[in-house]
Amino acid sequence: DVVMTQSPLSLPVILGQPASISCRSSQSLVFSDGNTYLNWFHQRPGQSPRRLIYKVSNRDSGVPDRFSGSGSGTDFTLKISRVEAEDVGVYYCVQITHWPPYTFGQGTKLEIK
Amino acid sequence: EVQLVESGGDLVKPGGSLRLSCAASGFSFSNEWMIWVRQAPGKGLEWVGRIKSKAHGLTTDYAAPVKGRFTISRDDSKNTLYLQMNSLKTEDTAVYYCTTFSAWGQGTLVTVSS
């Protein structure tokens, strides 16, 4: 199984400051069709997850442009250009290139410092 | 509006069974591969399994901890996804979400305890 490793696991951020979360996979996430199936999700306390980014860098509809995804191969990053209060919660990366299983990272908890 | 509404969560004893349902609306359910994800209390997200669309053969895949005990099925005429859970263990206690990954339900709580 592909292992997804996120860092940091805890991320205290001052409002208005940038934030960055790393996600590394144990093997390349490039699929045979040339696409890389790496998604990012955000889960606010007490809510269901919401997808922010699909295929590394594509923002879902309604996702603010302060969120951006980048990376390739085994190394991926989610960046928030200026953290807002509504951004608190846990962020997960998930790979859906090599299945089964789809595998999630451990989660990164973002809090306001 | 895309909606996924899970139901069927309950308190069940170890070794028992439960069937979860997920009613879908607002999108072409029959064309979507549907996924179950669970989240144990205070823990992260865990993929449970997936069923492909009829066009892709209705193939199912499962995570190792549930393989042989859980069965995913779908009724495209009712726009409904199911998760049949047998031989339940205490470690199956979690909120279960149905999802397409672009859309998520609100989750339903399954508690396995004596």
mmCIF file with all atom_site columns, all heavy atoms in Angstrom, chain B residues 30-41:
data_model
loop_
_atom_site.group_PDB
_atom_site.id
_atom_site.type_symbol
_atom_site.label_atom_id
_atom_site.label_alt_id
_atom_site.label_comp_id
_atom_site.label_asym_id
_atom_site.label_entity_id
_atom_site.label_seq_id
_atom_site.pdbx_PDB_ins_code
_atom_site.Cartn_x
_atom_site.Cartn_y
_atom_site.Cartn_z
_atom_site.occupancy
_atom_site.B_iso_or_equiv
_atom_site.pdbx_formal_charge
_atom_site.auth_seq_id
_atom_site.auth_comp_id
_atom_site.auth_asym_id
_atom_site.auth_atom_id
_atom_site.pdbx_PDB_model_num
ATOM 1   N N   . SER B 1 30 ? -25.841 7.058  -11.106 1.00 0.00 ? 30 SER B N   1
ATOM 2   C CA  . SER B 1 30 ? -25.489 5.795  -11.769 1.00 0.00 ? 30 SER B CA  1
ATOM 3   C C   . SER B 1 30 ? -24.127 5.856  -12.461 1.00 0.00 ? 30 SER B C   1
ATOM 4   O O   . SER B 1 30 ? -23.502 4.817  -12.692 1.00 0.00 ? 30 SER B O   1
ATOM 5   C CB  . SER B 1 30 ? -26.567 5.400  -12.765 1.00 0.00 ? 30 SER B CB  1
ATOM 6   O OG  . SER B 1 30 ? -26.690 6.382  -13.777 1.00 0.00 ? 30 SER B OG  1
ATOM 7   N N   . ASN B 1 31 ? -23.669 7.051  -12.768 1.00 0.00 ? 31 ASN B N   1
ATOM 8   C CA  . ASN B 1 31 ? -22.390 7.199  -13.471 1.00 0.00 ? 31 ASN B CA  1
ATOM 9   C C   . ASN B 1 31 ? -21.194 7.333  -12.533 1.00 0.00 ? 31 ASN B C   1
ATOM 10  O O   . ASN B 1 31 ? -20.044 7.329  -12.986 1.00 0.00 ? 31 ASN B O   1
ATOM 11  C CB  . ASN B 1 31 ? -22.421 8.414  -14.383 1.00 0.00 ? 31 ASN B CB  1
ATOM 12  C CG  . ASN B 1 31 ? -23.339 8.222  -15.572 1.00 0.00 ? 31 ASN B CG  1
ATOM 13  O OD1 . ASN B 1 31 ? -23.572 7.090  -16.008 1.00 0.00 ? 31 ASN B OD1 1
ATOM 14  N ND2 . ASN B 1 31 ? -23.891 9.312  -16.077 1.00 0.00 ? 31 ASN B ND2 1
ATOM 15  N N   . GLU B 1 32 ? -21.492 7.479  -11.227 1.00 0.00 ? 32 GLU B N   1
ATOM 16  C CA  . GLU B 1 32 ? -20.408 7.776  -10.280 1.00 0.00 ? 32 GLU B CA  1
ATOM 17  C C   . GLU B 1 32 ? -19.898 6.528  -9.575  1.00 0.00 ? 32 GLU B C   1
ATOM 18  O O   . GLU B 1 32 ? -20.662 5.633  -9.204  1.00 0.00 ? 32 GLU B O   1
ATOM 19  C CB  . GLU B 1 32 ? -20.895 8.755  -9.213  1.00 0.00 ? 32 GLU B CB  1
ATOM 20  C CG  . GLU B 1 32 ? -21.113 10.170 -9.712  1.00 0.00 ? 32 GLU B CG  1
ATOM 21  C CD  . GLU B 1 32 ? -19.821 10.922 -9.984  1.00 0.00 ? 32 GLU B CD  1
ATOM 22  O OE1 . GLU B 1 32 ? -18.783 10.570 -9.378  1.00 0.00 ? 32 GLU B OE1 1
ATOM 23  O OE2 . GLU B 1 32 ? -19.859 11.850 -10.807 1.00 0.00 ? 32 GLU B OE2 1
ATOM 24  N N   . TRP B 1 33 ? -18.590 6.480  -9.358  1.00 0.00 ? 33 TRP B N   1
ATOM 25  C CA  . TRP B 1 33 ? -17.997 5.502  -8.452  1.00 0.00 ? 33 TRP B CA  1
ATOM 26  C C   . TRP B 1 33 ? -18.240 6.034  -7.038  1.00 0.00 ? 33 TRP B C   1
ATOM 27  O O   . TRP B 1 33 ? -17.954 7.193  -6.755  1.00 0.00 ? 33 TRP B O   1
ATOM 28  C CB  . TRP B 1 33 ? -16.502 5.361  -8.689  1.00 0.00 ? 33 TRP B CB  1
ATOM 29  C CG  . TRP B 1 33 ? -16.125 4.804  -10.024 1.00 0.00 ? 33 TRP B CG  1
ATOM 30  C CD1 . TRP B 1 33 ? -16.921 4.654  -11.122 1.00 0.00 ? 33 TRP B CD1 1
ATOM 31  C CD2 . TRP B 1 33 ? -14.837 4.332  -10.401 1.00 0.00 ? 33 TRP B CD2 1
ATOM 32  N NE1 . TRP B 1 33 ? -16.208 4.118  -12.159 1.00 0.00 ? 33 TRP B NE1 1
ATOM 33  C CE2 . TRP B 1 33 ? -14.924 3.895  -11.746 1.00 0.00 ? 33 TRP B CE2 1
ATOM 34  C CE3 . TRP B 1 33 ? -13.609 4.209  -9.743  1.00 0.00 ? 33 TRP B CE3 1
ATOM 35  C CZ2 . TRP B 1 33 ? -13.835 3.356  -12.427 1.00 0.00 ? 33 TRP B CZ2 1
ATOM 36  C CZ3 . TRP B 1 33 ? -12.524 3.686  -10.423 1.00 0.00 ? 33 TRP B CZ3 1
ATOM 37  C CH2 . TRP B 1 33 ? -12.640 3.262  -11.763 1.00 0.00 ? 33 TRP B CH2 1
ATOM 38  N N   . MET B 1 34 ? -18.778 5.215  -6.181  1.00 0.00 ? 34 MET B N   1
ATOM 39  C CA  . MET B 1 34 ? -19.157 5.652  -4.843  1.00 0.00 ? 34 MET B CA  1
ATOM 40  C C   . MET B 1 34 ? -18.232 5.023  -3.801  1.00 0.00 ? 34 MET B C   1
ATOM 41  O O   . MET B 1 34 ? -17.823 3.865  -3.921  1.00 0.00 ? 34 MET B O   1
ATOM 42  C CB  . MET B 1 34 ? -20.604 5.303  -4.545  1.00 0.00 ? 34 MET B CB  1
ATOM 43  C CG  . MET B 1 34 ? -21.619 6.007  -5.434  1.00 0.00 ? 34 MET B CG  1
ATOM 44  S SD  . MET B 1 34 ? -21.559 7.800  -5.304  1.00 0.00 ? 34 MET B SD  1
ATOM 45  C CE  . MET B 1 34 ? -21.967 8.060  -3.581  1.00 0.00 ? 34 MET B CE  1
ATOM 46  N N   . ILE B 1 35 ? -17.973 5.796  -2.765  1.00 0.00 ? 35 ILE B N   1
ATOM 47  C CA  . ILE B 1 35 ? -16.946 5.448  -1.777  1.00 0.00 ? 35 ILE B CA  1
ATOM 48  C C   . ILE B 1 35 ? -17.520 5.547  -0.368  1.00 0.00 ? 35 ILE B C   1
ATOM 49  O O   . ILE B 1 35 ? -18.350 6.418  -0.096  1.00 0.00 ? 35 ILE B O   1
ATOM 50  C CB  . ILE B 1 35 ? -15.769 6.440  -1.905  1.00 0.00 ? 35 ILE B CB  1
ATOM 51  C CG1 . ILE B 1 35 ? -15.156 6.393  -3.309  1.00 0.00 ? 35 ILE B CG1 1
ATOM 52  C CG2 . ILE B 1 35 ? -14.700 6.183  -0.836  1.00 0.00 ? 35 ILE B CG2 1
ATOM 53  C CD1 . ILE B 1 35 ? -14.432 7.669  -3.685  1.00 0.00 ? 35 ILE B CD1 1
ATOM 54  N N   . TRP B 1 36 ? -17.076 4.659  0.493   1.00 0.00 ? 36 TRP B N   1
ATOM 55  C CA  . TRP B 1 36 ? -17.348 4.788  1.934   1.00 0.00 ? 36 TRP B CA  1
ATOM 56  C C   . TRP B 1 36 ? -16.018 5.096  2.630   1.00 0.00 ? 36 TRP B C   1
ATOM 57  O O   . TRP B 1 36 ? -14.997 4.455  2.376   1.00 0.00 ? 36 TRP B O   1
ATOM 58  C CB  . TRP B 1 36 ? -17.934 3.509  2.513   1.00 0.00 ? 36 TRP B CB  1
ATOM 59  C CG  . TRP B 1 36 ? -19.373 3.263  2.161   1.00 0.00 ? 36 TRP B CG  1
ATOM 60  C CD1 . TRP B 1 36 ? -19.856 2.434  1.180   1.00 0.00 ? 36 TRP B CD1 1
ATOM 61  C CD2 . TRP B 1 36 ? -20.528 3.839  2.792   1.00 0.00 ? 36 TRP B CD2 1
ATOM 62  N NE1 . TRP B 1 36 ? -21.228 2.471  1.167   1.00 0.00 ? 36 TRP B NE1 1
ATOM 63  C CE2 . TRP B 1 36 ? -21.668 3.314  2.142   1.00 0.00 ? 36 TRP B CE2 1
ATOM 64  C CE3 . TRP B 1 36 ? -20.715 4.740  3.845   1.00 0.00 ? 36 TRP B CE3 1
ATOM 65  C CZ2 . TRP B 1 36 ? -22.976 3.667  2.503   1.00 0.00 ? 36 TRP B CZ2 1
ATOM 66  C CZ3 . TRP B 1 36 ? -22.012 5.085  4.216   1.00 0.00 ? 36 TRP B CZ3 1
ATOM 67  C CH2 . TRP B 1 36 ? -23.120 4.562  3.553   1.00 0.00 ? 36 TRP B CH2 1
ATOM 68  N N   . VAL B 1 37 ? -16.074 6.092  3.504   1.00 0.00 ? 37 VAL B N   1
ATOM 69  C CA  . VAL B 1 37 ? -14.925 6.494  4.322   1.00 0.00 ? 37 VAL B CA  1
ATOM 70  C C   . VAL B 1 37 ? -15.403 6.539  5.765   1.00 0.00 ? 37 VAL B C   1
ATOM 71  O O   . VAL B 1 37 ? -16.537 6.930  6.030   1.00 0.00 ? 37 VAL B O   1
ATOM 72  C CB  . VAL B 1 37 ? -14.400 7.891  3.897   1.00 0.00 ? 37 VAL B CB  1
ATOM 73  C CG1 . VAL B 1 37 ? -13.369 8.423  4.885   1.00 0.00 ? 37 VAL B CG1 1
ATOM 74  C CG2 . VAL B 1 37 ? -13.805 7.830  2.488   1.00 0.00 ? 37 VAL B CG2 1
ATOM 75  N N   . ARG B 1 38 ? -14.554 6.140  6.699   1.00 0.00 ? 38 ARG B N   1
ATOM 76  C CA  . ARG B 1 38 ? -14.954 6.209  8.100   1.00 0.00 ? 38 ARG B CA  1
ATOM 77  C C   . ARG B 1 38 ? -13.947 6.992  8.921   1.00 0.00 ? 38 ARG B C   1
ATOM 78  O O   . ARG B 1 38 ? -12.797 7.189  8.500   1.00 0.00 ? 38 ARG B O   1
ATOM 79  C CB  . ARG B 1 38 ? -15.145 4.815  8.685   1.00 0.00 ? 38 ARG B CB  1
ATOM 80  C CG  . ARG B 1 38 ? -13.880 3.985  8.833   1.00 0.00 ? 38 ARG B CG  1
ATOM 81  C CD  . ARG B 1 38 ? -14.223 2.596  9.359   1.00 0.00 ? 38 ARG B CD  1
ATOM 82  N NE  . ARG B 1 38 ? -13.027 1.760  9.526   1.00 0.00 ? 38 ARG B NE  1
ATOM 83  C CZ  . ARG B 1 38 ? -13.060 0.483  9.913   1.00 0.00 ? 38 ARG B CZ  1
ATOM 84  N NH1 . ARG B 1 38 ? -14.236 -0.109 10.173  1.00 0.00 ? 38 ARG B NH1 1
ATOM 85  N NH2 . ARG B 1 38 ? -11.940 -0.200 10.053  1.00 0.00 ? 38 ARG B NH2 1
ATOM 86  N N   . GLN B 1 39 ? -14.407 7.427  10.083  1.00 0.00 ? 39 GLN B N   1
ATOM 87  C CA  . GLN B 1 39 ? -13.564 8.206  10.980  1.00 0.00 ? 39 GLN B CA  1
ATOM 88  C C   . GLN B 1 39 ? -13.862 7.794  12.412  1.00 0.00 ? 39 GLN B C   1
ATOM 89  O O   . GLN B 1 39 ? -14.935 8.104  12.945  1.00 0.00 ? 39 GLN B O   1
ATOM 90  C CB  . GLN B 1 39 ? -13.818 9.701  10.778  1.00 0.00 ? 39 GLN B CB  1
ATOM 91  C CG  . GLN B 1 39 ? -12.880 10.592 11.553  1.00 0.00 ? 39 GLN B CG  1
ATOM 92  C CD  . GLN B 1 39 ? -12.999 12.049 11.117  1.00 0.00 ? 39 GLN B CD  1
ATOM 93  O OE1 . GLN B 1 39 ? -14.087 12.546 10.807  1.00 0.00 ? 39 GLN B OE1 1
ATOM 94  N NE2 . GLN B 1 39 ? -11.872 12.746 11.072  1.00 0.00 ? 39 GLN B NE2 1
ATOM 95  N N   . ALA B 1 40 ? -12.936 7.083  13.018  1.00 0.00 ? 40 ALA B N   1
ATOM 96  C CA  . ALA B 1 40 ? -13.085 6.697  14.410  1.00 0.00 ? 40 ALA B CA  1
ATOM 97  C C   . ALA B 1 40 ? -13.010 7.944  15.290  1.00 0.00 ? 40 ALA B C   1
ATOM 98  O O   . ALA B 1 40 ? -12.426 8.964  14.889  1.00 0.00 ? 40 ALA B O   1
ATOM 99  C CB  . ALA B 1 40 ? -11.998 5.705  14.793  1.00 0.00 ? 40 ALA B CB  1
ATOM 100 N N   . PRO B 1 41 ? -13.590 7.896  16.474  1.00 0.00 ? 41 PRO B N   1
ATOM 101 C CA  . PRO B 1 41 ? -13.622 9.074  17.348  1.00 0.00 ? 41 PRO B CA  1
ATOM 102 C C   . PRO B 1 41 ? -12.229 9.663  17.582  1.00 0.00 ? 41 PRO B C   1
ATOM 103 O O   . PRO B 1 41 ? -11.310 8.945  18.001  1.00 0.00 ? 41 PRO B O   1
ATOM 104 C CB  . PRO B 1 41 ? -14.219 8.529  18.646  1.00 0.00 ? 41 PRO B CB  1
ATOM 105 C CG  . PRO B 1 41 ? -15.035 7.365  18.222  1.00 0.00 ? 41 PRO B CG  1
ATOM 106 C CD  . PRO B 1 41 ? -14.317 6.757  17.067  1.00 0.00 ? 41 PRO B CD  1
#
